[in-house]
Amino acid sequence: MKAVRLVAPTVVEVTDVPVPEIGPGDVLVRVGGAGLCHSDVHAAHMPELPFPTPLTLGHEIAGTVAALGSGVDPAAGIGEGTAVVVHLCWSCGVCRACAAGEDNVCEAAGRMAQPLCPGLGPDGGMAEYVRVPARHVVPIGDLDPVLAAPLADAGMTPMHAIRSAQDRLGSDATALVIGVGGLGHVAVQILRATTAARIVAVDVREDRLEAAVRHGADIALLADEALEAVLGLTAGRGADTVLDFAGSQSSVDLAVEAVAPNGAYRLVGILGGAPRIVAAPSLGTGWPWGASLRRTYGGTRSDLIATVALAQRGRISVDVERYPLTEGPAALARLEAGEVAGRAVLVP
Ligand code: NAD
Ligand code: ZN
Ligand code: ZN
């Protein structure tokens, strides 16, 4: 079969590989759609990787179950032909965190708490088939796998960040969404569908802001005008929730200056920004008393199920650009150049 592979650090190619073998407890998924995440761009540039190559990329996967490994009981609801999306946190299922429903920070993954992720460790879904432990698929009913694939990350990750800030998203709250690309344009829709907060979208590109307004943002601001505008909108207190899908130095600076006292800053993007929070007696500027910061990773199985449910009811929909699998490297280049509107999805 064809697969988009990181054949060595910084080298992405379409190559021929055998269809994966499945073992006990696995399913073989025939890929219907594989989304491209900005994290794939990051992975494609790392000179040293924390996982071995060659590796098939792709952690946003939806498709159809093509075969069951031994011990997978179709009575449990997953059989040949079931349409599924893949939960990207391949966590242990039994540790303290997993038992508490915090399987996105599984303890078996050590202190940094990043469970195995297909496409960033085990082979992923930018291929015709992928091996997945049966425990990590979620049925999608009659959702189109091409539209459902991005729910695995561009949907679930914002869902997790938003749920973790629920107490700062009341009807009198202001939510600032920084970076309304792949993840951010879905975050705006999840906020619209699950909260009554005022939604302020921020980006460095006008076209992203237009899409955010189409998806339910109340106000859209270019990044360089955002701080003054947000403080103006909130009588100087700032945004109760800040969701940062950029994670650059300029976006974390904005978040630190714009988050309200007791507010929630949820940092998702990984562009190298370092939020400056100083423990000193002087009040100074920046981080106010009571505000909290969470560096938020992926989402739980429950978050994915909740995201799929919203999509099935038509309350969220991902803007998708479709590409043949063989155009994976070109689509990755477009994403890096900022040219993808919404999410690029490879269709094998
Ligand atoms: P994307 O390229 O589709 O979207 C990023 C958006 O941010 C773009 O619209 C871009 O114009 C905008 N942007 C960039 N710099 C900005 C700034 N300073 N201020 C405002 N907007 C800015 O990327 P994506 O796939 O949505 O991923 C977003 C980030 O989240 C990436 O860094 C990715 O690696 C990371 N990510 C993290 C997790 C996690 O679990 N923590 C999961 C998925 C993705
Ligand atoms: Zn991702
Ligand atoms: Zn665990």
Side-chain angles (χ1 to χ4, degrees), residues 249-261:
Q249 193 55 48
S250 61
S251 76
V252 301
D253 286 347
L254 169 61
V256 166
E257 300 279 334
V259 70

Side-chain angles (χ1 to χ4, degrees), residues 3-325:
V4 179
R5 304 203 97 193
L6 202 48
V7 292
T10 75
V11 187
V12 178
E13 286 175 3
V14 180
T15 60
D16 288 307
V17 293
V19 171
E21 287 176 16
I22 57 171
D26 290 335
V27 293
L28 185 68
V29 174
R30 186 162 55 76
V31 178
L36 266 70
C37 176
H38 214 109
S39 300
D40 297 317
V41 175
H42 299 315
H45 282 295
M46 285 164 76
E48 278 177 50
L49 294 163
F51 38 77
T53 52
L55 161 77
T56 301
L57 289 167
H59 55 270
E60 275 189 350
I61 313 160
T64 314
V65 173
L68 303 182
S70 64
V72 180
D73 181 359
I78 304 293
E80 271 180 43
T82 307
V84 295
V85 63
V86 177
H87 183 216
L88 63 80
C89 295
W90 289 7
S91 43
C92 80
V94 292
C95 73
R96 216 166 43 128
C98 286
E102 297 176 348
D103 44 302
N104 65 316
V105 290
C106 171
E107 291 185 353
R111 206 188 83 80
M112 293 313 287
Q114 184 168 317
L116 275 185
C117 176
L120 297 167
D123 281 333
M126 292 187 198
E128 293 168 60
Y129 292 90
V130 59
R131 177 196 75 87
V132 182
R135 244 173 13 85
H136 300 307
V137 299
V138 168
I140 56 171
D142 56 10
L143 282 181
D144 176 352
V146 174
L147 304 178
L151 300 177
D153 187 4
M156 175 187 74
T157 299
M159 175 65 86
H160 183 74
I162 289 164
R163 281 177 146 187
S164 81
Q166 208 63 40
D167 65 332
R168 298 286 118 192
L169 288 167
S171 57
D172 59 346
T174 298
L176 186 63
V177 184
I178 307 175
V180 280
L183 272 65
H185 89 288
V186 188
V188 166
Q189 298 176 62
I190 296 172
L191 284 167
R192 177 56 81 209
T194 65
T195 82
R198 172 168 57 179
I199 304 166
V200 182
V202 175
D203 207 290
V204 291
R205 291 180 56 120
E206 293 274 9
D207 56 342
R208 297 297 130 80
L209 294 176
E210 283 159 22
V213 168
R214 196 158 25 82
H215 285 301
D218 297 292
I219 296 159
L221 301 166
L222 285 168
D224 54 10
E225 63 183 20
L227 177 60
E228 206 183 318
V230 170
L231 294 177
L233 285 166
T234 55
R237 283 178 65 82
D240 304 281
T241 294
V242 180
L243 304 170
D244 183 352
F245 299 108
S248 65
Q249 193 55 48
S250 61
S251 76
V252 301
D253 286 347
L254 169 61
V256 166
E257 300 279 334
V259 70
N262 278 6
Y265 175 22
R266 300 294 178 254
L267 175 51
V268 179
I270 48 176
L271 287 177
R276 187 174 142 84
I277 303 174
V278 182
S282 69
L283 283 178
T285 56
W287 199 254
W289 290 116
S292 71
L293 165 59
R294 175 179 279 201
R295 182 171 182 241
T296 173
Y297 179 70
T300 65
R301 182 176 174 87
S302 162
D303 295 321
L304 180 58
I305 290 169
T307 306
V308 168
L310 277 186
Q312 285 177 325
R313 284 159 45 219
R315 303 291 295 275
I316 59 172
S317 66
V318 181
D319 293 343
V320 157
E321 291 185 1
R322 294 167 196 246
Y323 296 89
L325 185 63

